[in-house]
Amino acid sequence: MSTGSRNLWEAWARSVPPLACTSTREPCHDPAATATSLARAGLAGQYVVYESEGGVWHFAAGSDVSVTADATGITARAAGRTWTSRTRRRPLTAFAAALDALSPVSAPPDESGEERRFYGWAAFELAHLLHADPATAGDQPLLHAMVPSVEVTLTADSTVVRAVDEAWARKVADLLAEPGRSSRPAEQTFHDEAARDRTEDVIAVGTAAYGRAVTRTVRDIRAGLLEKAVVSRRVPLPAEARPDFPATYLAGRRANTPARSYVLDLGGYRAAGFSPETVLEVGDDGRVSTQPLAGTRALGADPAENERRRVELLSDPKEIHEHAVSVRLAWDEMAAVCRPGSVVVEEFMSVRPRGSVQHLASRVTGRLRPDAGPWDAFASLFPAITATGVSKRAALQALARHEEGPRGLYGGAVFRGSTGGALDAALVLRTLIGAGDEAWLRAGAGVTAQSSPDRETEETCEKLRSVAPYLRFSLT
């Protein structure tokens, strides 16, 4: 990083107020409902609810401090001021440099002595700059992060509130003190009674065109252009529909078993999602982990049928091949940033329930090299293999040929990180997404040489059933 860029981001970081006020309260009876209720309160222009490992919910809100990068430029805001710089088609490098400036070396730490945290997202099209054709990345924002004015961490043991000042702390304390707020079911606030009845009509949109895209992709694979591609289809909601994102999130979270979940209004996107896997998890100690899921069967209410499908999944040559090549590439991408000999497969081909489906799941872990940080790992692993294919470059080129329009947030990541080096990034799948006046779902399936268009189309329907039945709409 040049001296000019370093000075620019250090000036920005010094303008970012610390979360100087910290208080601890009794635990909430229902952390998911409490976090969702805080999201609904409209405390600030941007908010995120992020469920991390172990049933911990984080709510963060703010409007004043953010960083946004596209292919050509980056903009940071704080204290009513704006800082800009060119990215020269390396937006992740510039983005990481800006966030790194928040470390205590450049900016005063919180009075509690704790590191600073940030929340954000990465659009799928960032992948084209990292691994494929930069011209395909487009001109829309690729990365966005918010440094919150207030953060609430909800666990089984306590509720911790951190805020930039007493005024913010009081706002949140008043909301938490409202009778019944921690257990009031937000999904009952707005409820379109016909939503469940329309589920199958919603998820059937575009299936014929999707089958043709699968056929074209299989042809490419058999011609030797690539080994696997995760081809997806977009399912737009009716123009008159006005999704209630917090209500959809809480209703869907009650019925799903995600690795991570989130609801947000952040950087131009609204989203409510139930991520089946993480793109990566990086700890303060340099341990890095990724969890590829590939291979799918439906998961329903009949235990005997679920077991039959589980056995079928574990013995299906197409599904096993699809999963194995994903794990192989995950290993290679981890090895590129980890200490020699530290990369291991800690779990291989387990079956994990994820809402309306069950997946083959593996976990690959390692230790970052001394000269590598969390964003180096992110650059190597993003986007998740299970949202792109093998090889990643060839798969991205195939998706550009066979999918309609850019993916945007779908197949990208929602993340929570800290200046201490931690980064937790959820893969954006099983998600209701909105931007402007539009809202949509999206789902994909891993296409290999053995793929059948009918089976891959049905797999997208199985995945969409993790979200579509729980859509809730505003009546106003």
Side-chain angles (χ1 to χ4, degrees), residues 14-363:
R14 286 192 295 270
S15 299
V16 177
L19 299 183
C21 299
T22 300
S23 63
T24 302
R25 306 168 59 92
E26 292 296 315
C28 298
H29 170 68
D30 188 340
T34 299
T36 306
S37 188
L38 290 171
R40 187 182 290 281
L43 286 172
Q46 298 188 90
Y47 75 81
V48 181
V49 171
Y50 190 86
E51 179 192 3
S52 57
E53 189 174 16
V56 178
W57 269 264
H58 306 276
F59 166 78
S63 303
D64 298 331
V65 183
S66 64
V67 187
T68 307
D70 59 27
T72 60
I74 181 169
T75 300
R77 295 181 174 86
R81 297 177 58 193
T82 301
W83 291 259
T84 62
S85 180
R86 298 187 64 185
T87 62
R88 294 179 172 84
R89 295 196 175 273
R90 298 181 64 192
L92 186 57
T93 300
F95 188 76
L99 292 174
D100 285 348
L102 288 171
S103 65
V105 172
S106 303
D110 295 349
E111 288 188 1
S112 63
E114 294 185 356
E115 59 207 14
R116 294 173 179 229
R117 298 172 184 83
F118 50 84
Y119 296 77
W121 52 255
F124 182 81
E125 279 63 43
L126 174 64
H128 294 290
L129 288 169
L130 295 173
H131 306 293
D133 180 7
T136 313
D139 58 2
Q140 295 301 302
L142 300 173
L143 291 152
H144 180 84
M146 169 191 70
V147 181
S149 297
V150 64
E151 181 184 49
V152 183
T153 300
L154 303 148
T155 71
D157 299 322
S158 65
T159 299
V160 178
V161 180
R162 301 178 181 89
V164 295
D165 55 34
E166 291 291 348
W168 271 103
R170 282 195 299 271
K171 288 179 186 178
V172 172
D174 290 345
L175 289 169
L176 292 172
E178 287 184 15
R181 174 168 288 274
S182 64
S183 59
R184 185 160 60 238
E187 71 265 31
Q188 293 180 2
T189 304
F190 300 113
H191 184 187
D192 182 348
E193 296 294 345
R196 290 180 183 271
D197 296 336
R198 293 202 306 265
T199 294
E200 294 305 311
D201 290 337
V202 167
I203 67 178
V205 173
T207 52
Y210 181 75
R212 293 191 291 271
V214 170
T215 297
R216 294 193 299 270
T217 306
V218 170
R219 191 179 303 132
D220 285 353
I221 293 170
R222 292 176 178 174
L225 299 181
L226 69 160
E227 196 168 351
K228 169 190 169 183
V230 182
V231 182
S232 68
R233 62 185 178 96
R234 189 175 188 266
V235 181
L237 299 188
E240 67 275 10
R242 297 184 57 198
D244 184 319
F245 284 81
T248 296
Y249 170 73
L250 193 54
R253 181 59 187 87
R254 302 295 199 211
N256 271 278
T257 50
R260 301 289 188 272
S261 71
Y262 44 81
V263 59
L264 59 86
D265 189 339
L266 186 67
Y269 279 112
R270 302 180 303 282
F274 320 103
S275 175
E277 64 184 275
T278 54
V279 178
L280 83 166
E281 304 155 45
V282 183
D284 293 344
D285 60 355
R287 183 181 188 271
V288 60
S289 170
T290 189
Q291 186 188 37
L293 272 66
T296 306
R297 285 294 186 274
L299 186 67
D302 184 343
E305 180 61 13
N306 290 336
E307 177 61 18
R308 185 194 69 77
R309 290 169 176 160
R310 189 187 75 85
V311 172
E312 181 183 84
L313 179 59
L314 285 165
S315 59
D316 187 302
K318 182 265 179 185
E319 304 287 11
I320 293 171
H321 174 260
E322 179 188 347
H323 187 82
V325 297
S326 297
V327 174
R328 183 192 69 204
L329 186 53
W331 175 290
D332 291 342
E333 292 178 344
M334 290 277 285
V337 293
C338 288
R339 297 172 185 266
S342 70
V343 179
V344 296
V345 179
E346 290 190 352
E347 175 187 19
F348 184 65
M349 266 187 24
S350 300
V351 177
R352 297 288 184 191
R354 291 291 186 256
S356 60
V357 293
Q358 49 190 324
H359 291 295
L360 293 177
S362 295
R363 181 172 292 277

